[in-house]
């Protein structure tokens, strides 16, 4: 059988196109990359030595060879599709198809026929171990190769996958059974397998009367004679047609691949988390360092300003200290005569006379005799209220009444600058 | 060399400890440095605000310095200065018809404003004469200052007794 392969390598898919990697008929061309959908018909674009050689694998469905997927047609006493998964899982366990350990079985199914109280499904189950080349993590999805071939109704079809013969049987137009025959040529053992499968399916009421046997591979006259002798069906021989996409794909992702994907997703999340943390960390560090640099720069600017203005400030400070020391010369508040004048102005009319007035060293002492005690207090109150004496902390002990009805008093004050 | 899972975990743990420790000490250093700078900044800002107010008054202080330079007498010989100061005080007292009861020279003092020559006198007279004498004496441009002043009525109740310590400031000598 000769297949035409596109010489120009396809690098991307157009809108609506799907890429399928199907097992080839021979071991020399073990994998074929087909493009389905879109405006053009199915197109073989590449022959690959292994699934890893496919450049479009991120957007490709890897169709597993029939030899890699175990087939189990089942009548389920249930018509609600929501319950099928649980029932099928139990059936797999019953038949010993559940892998050992905690890993669940990888399977998918298609409804073949539905009656009033039961449903016929064909289940594809992945074995616990698969060929290493199948563990191609980068593939978008995993399916069964037989589901992509357009088998005629109620037909037993023999075809070839990677040099091995494969058998498929349809019920109506639906694929109901497939099996790898494990041999490269039709012999008595193969015929026994075919008969066995046919009888088993018939006993389970899975098969409808078969109309013909179809050969999608070249056979020798001897093989054809063997076939004719074993099965009472008309035999037709055709070239294997191009693949056709099923309505819905199976999800037969190997557990190793699923685990690897989960691990990668987990790693990706960890890396994302780490990246976000690092970004946040760098922002915080950046803010702290910027704040430090800004403050440092402000301090430098202030120091520079201080240095620039220091001579002028020194002159001012010198002048101020000199002026302060010359306070008794230049500030009238230090003049004793001014203090005396203010003191006299605070005396109530005809109320008292002073006997001593002392001022110096920021200290003030006033002694006198008042007409009575009230006069002394009145004088003291006036002095305290006088703004001129606001810088002095004035204090007066209780006036001392004299025998001549006068009251002697003494007022002392210290300058607040002391 | 292949690293086992537990070795890798230990390496991560070690790296985490180093990271956390480094950050702890780094942040500690950064926080202390920031606090010091912040403190310095606050102090310098306060100093600057104060200095700006001072600089606004720079003209006034320059004028005052110029006035001091123009009017403050220059100290020559300290003895001469003492004699001149005492004589100036006594002359004023005599001119105002005050009786000089006591007179003395005190030690000179040195400061930022120059040298301060101190003399002490005790005088007696009428209040009017005293006031006139002291008013003449205490004029800023003469650089006389009355550092101690005591006034009491005399026993006769007609005149006043005044004890003074008078200082005169001279440029230089410090």
């Amino acid at each position: 059988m000769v297949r035409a392969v596109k010489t120009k390598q396809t690098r991307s898919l157009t809108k609506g196109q799907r890429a399928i990697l199907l097992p080839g008929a021979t071991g020399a061309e073990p994998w074929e990359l087909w493009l389905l959908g879109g405006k053009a018909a199915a197109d073989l674009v590449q022959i690959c030595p292994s699934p890893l050689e496919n450049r479009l694998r991120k957007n490709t469905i890897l169709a597993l060879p029939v030899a890699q997927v175990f087939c189990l047609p089942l009548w389920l006493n249930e018509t609600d599709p929501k319950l099928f998964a649980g029932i099928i899982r139990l059936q797999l366990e019953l038949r010993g198809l559940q892998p050992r350990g905690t890993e669940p079985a990888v399977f998918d199914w298609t409804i073949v026929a539905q009656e009033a109280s039961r449903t016929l499904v064909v289940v594809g189950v992945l074995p616990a171990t698969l060929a290493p080349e199948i563990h191609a993590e980068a593939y978008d999805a995993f399916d069964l190769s037989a589901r992509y071939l357009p088998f005629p109704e109620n037909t037993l079809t023999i075809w070839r996958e990677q040099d091995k013969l494969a058998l498929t049987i349809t019920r109506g137009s639906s694929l109901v059974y497939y099996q790898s025959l494990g041999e490269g040529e039709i012999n008595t053992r193969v015929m026994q397998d075919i008969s066995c499968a046919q009888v088993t399916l018939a006993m389970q009421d899975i098969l409808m009367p078969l109309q013909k046997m179809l050969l999608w591979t070249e056979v020798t006259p001897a093989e054809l004679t063997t076939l004719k002798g074993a099965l009472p069906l008309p035999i037709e021989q055709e070239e294997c047609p191009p693949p056709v996409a099923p309505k819905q794909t199976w999800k037969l992702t190997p557990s190793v691949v699923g685990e690897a994907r989960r691990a990668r997703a987990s790693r990706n999340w960890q890396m994302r988390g780490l990246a976000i943390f690092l970004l946040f960390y760098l922002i915080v560090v950046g803010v702290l360092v910027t704040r430090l640099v800004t403050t440092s720069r402000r301090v430098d600017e202030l120091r520079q300003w201080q240095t620039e203005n220091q001579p002028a400030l020194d002159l001012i400070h010198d002048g101020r200290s000199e002026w302060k020391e010359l306070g008794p010369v230049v500030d009238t508040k230090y003049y004793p005569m001014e203090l005396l004048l203010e003191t006299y102005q605070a005396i109530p009319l005809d109320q008292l006379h002073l006997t001593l007035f002392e001022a110096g060293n920021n200290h003030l002492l006033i002694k006198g005799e008042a007409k009575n005690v009230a006069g002394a207090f009145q004088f003291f109150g006036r002095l305290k209220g006088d703004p001129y004496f606001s810088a002095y902390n004035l204090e007066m002990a209780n006036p001392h009444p004299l025998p001549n009805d006068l009251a002697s008093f003494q007022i002392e004050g210290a300058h607040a600058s002391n | 060399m292949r690293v086992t899972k537990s070795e890798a975990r230990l390496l991560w743990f070690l790296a985490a400890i180093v990271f956390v420790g480094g950050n702890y000490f780094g942040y500690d250093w950064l926080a202390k440095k920031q606090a010091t700078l912040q403190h310095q900044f606050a102090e310098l800002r306060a100093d600057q605000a104060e200095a700006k107010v001072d600089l606004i008054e720079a003209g006034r202080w320059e004028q005052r310095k110029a006035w001091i330079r123009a009017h403050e007498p220059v100290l020559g010989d300290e003895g001469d200065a003492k004699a001149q100061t005492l004589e100036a005080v006594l002359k004023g007292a005599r001119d105002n018809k005050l009786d000089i009861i006591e007179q003395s020279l005190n030690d000179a003092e040195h400061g930022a404003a120059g040298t301060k020559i101190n003399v002490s006198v005790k005088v007696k007279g009428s209040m009017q004469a005293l006031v006139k004498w002291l008013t003449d004496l205490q004029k800023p441009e003469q650089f006389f200052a009355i550092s101690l002043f005591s006034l009491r009525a005399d026993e006769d109740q007609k005149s006043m007794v005044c004890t003074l310590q008078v200082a005169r400031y001279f440029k230089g000598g410090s």
Side-chain angles (χ1 to χ4, degrees), chain A residues 264-312:
Chain A
R264 187 199 280 176
S266 168
R267 268 200 307 278
N268 284 346
W269 275 111
Q270 282 174 357
M271 291 309 289
R272 263 177 235 165
L274 193 65
I276 290 168
F277 170 76
L278 273 177
L279 183 70
F280 179 72
Y281 174 79
L282 287 175
I283 288 171
V284 169
V285 169
V287 167
L288 288 174
V289 170
T290 308
R291 202 163 64 119
L292 188 78
V293 170
T294 311
T295 314
S296 177
R297 198 173 292 166
R298 282 180 181 173
V299 167
D300 288 345
E301 281 171 6
L302 285 173
R303 281 206 177 115
Q304 196 182 346
W305 185 90
Q306 208 173 34
T307 311
E308 282 169 4
N309 290 281
Q310 200 55 48

Side-chain angles (χ1 to χ4, degrees), chain A residues 329-351:
Chain A
V329 175
V330 294
D331 190 352
T332 57
K333 286 196 174 179
Y334 286 90
Y335 290 7
M337 289 308 295
E338 291 286 340
L339 287 171
L340 184 62
L341 178 66
E342 291 294 326
T343 306
Y344 266 103
Q345 283 175 353
I347 295 172
L349 199 62
D350 295 333
Q351 291 289 310

Side-chain angles (χ1 to χ4, degrees), chain A residues 14-240:
Chain A
T14 57
K15 196 177 178 186
Q17 263 189 332
R18 292 160 78 184
I20 316 291
L21 189 72
L22 284 165
T26 63
E29 294 178 349
W31 296 95
E32 296 173 352
L33 182 64
W34 289 83
L35 294 186
L36 306 183
K39 289 173 184 172
D43 203 1
L44 175 61
V45 292
Q46 193 187 349
I47 301 290
C48 305
S50 84
L52 296 173
E53 305 292 322
N54 172 19
R55 285 185 309 279
L56 294 172
R57 55 185 177 270
K58 277 187 180 172
N59 304 306
T60 304
I61 296 168
L62 175 57
L64 298 169
V66 166
Q68 300 283 352
V69 185
F70 186 75
C71 177
L72 182 64
L74 284 173
W75 275 110
L76 305 176
N77 292 325
E78 182 58 63
T79 54
D80 184 0
K82 288 176 189 169
L83 303 173
F84 289 172
I87 297 169
I88 292 169
R89 196 170 286 118
L90 289 172
Q91 290 292 337
L92 294 180
E93 207 173 326
L94 197 70
R95 286 167 170 77
L97 292 170
Q98 179 78 28
R100 288 178 187 174
T102 52
E103 284 178 14
V106 179
F107 65 90
D108 210 335
W109 73 93
T110 306
I111 297 171
V112 176
Q114 198 149 31
E115 294 177 359
S117 61
R118 62 177 192 164
T119 309
L120 176 63
V121 292
V122 58
V123 182
V125 189
L126 284 191
T129 53
L130 283 166
E133 65 173 4
I134 304 301
H135 296 160
E137 192 194 324
Y139 276 86
D140 188 35
F142 292 81
D143 205 333
L144 172 71
S145 61
R147 285 169 36 78
Y148 287 82
L149 294 174
F151 298 108
E153 288 182 8
N154 300 315
T155 306
L156 188 153
T157 310
I158 293 172
W159 45 294
R160 208 175 278 275
E161 262 189 6
Q162 294 175 345
D163 287 335
K164 300 275 169 62
L165 291 171
L167 162 74
T168 52
I169 300 172
T170 50
R171 177 191 164 107
S173 61
S174 303
L175 178 70
V176 76
Y177 186 75
Y178 58 86
Q179 182 189 338
S180 173
L181 295 169
E183 302 277 349
E185 58 185 26
I186 297 166
N187 52 31
T188 43
R189 202 196 66 75
V190 167
M191 289 316 299
Q192 280 174 359
D193 281 357
I194 294 170
S195 301
C196 188
Q198 196 185 359
V199 169
T200 309
L201 294 172
M203 281 170 66
Q204 291 175 355
D205 193 21
I206 288 170
L207 280 189
M208 289 175 80
L210 291 171
Q211 292 171 0
K212 60 181 174 183
M213 179 187 280
L214 191 60
L215 295 174
W216 278 351
T217 180
E218 289 171 3
V219 291
T220 60
E223 288 173 320
L224 200 60
T225 310
T226 310
L227 276 174
K228 281 177 180 169
L231 293 170
L233 288 172
I235 297 173
E236 289 178 16
Q237 199 169 359
E238 289 176 7
E239 194 177 323
C240 185

Side-chain angles (χ1 to χ4, degrees), chain A residues 346 348-349 351-352 372-383 396:
Chain A
L349 199 62
Q351 291 289 310
L352 56 78
N372 48 37
V373 172
F377 277 116
Q378 193 183 356
F379 173 60
F380 179 64
R382 280 188 168 195
L383 275 187
M396 183 179 80

Side-chain angles (χ1 to χ4, degrees), chain A residues 281 288 292 295 298 302-303 306 316-317 320 322 325 328-329 335 337 340 355-361, chain B residues 23 30 34 40-41 44 48 54 61 64-65 111-112 127 131 134 138 140 147-152 169:
Chain A
Y281 174 79
L288 288 174
L292 188 78
T295 314
R298 282 180 181 173
L302 285 173
R303 281 206 177 115
Q306 208 173 34
I316 292 166
H317 295 153
R320 187 181 285 164
E322 199 176 351
E325 198 173 319
V329 175
Y335 290 7
M337 289 308 295
L340 184 62
T355 56
L356 176 69
F357 181 86
E358 278 185 11
N361 292 333
Chain B
N23 275 283
L30 208 65
Q34 179 70 30
Q40 284 177 354
F41 178 69
L44 286 167
Q48 190 193 37
D54 287 348
W61 290 110
R64 284 179 173 179
K65 269 188 92 82
M127 187 67 190
V131 168
L134 289 173
Q138 190 132 42
S147 47
L148 271 174
F149 176 82
S150 174
L151 183 70
R152 65 167 69 241
Y169 289 81

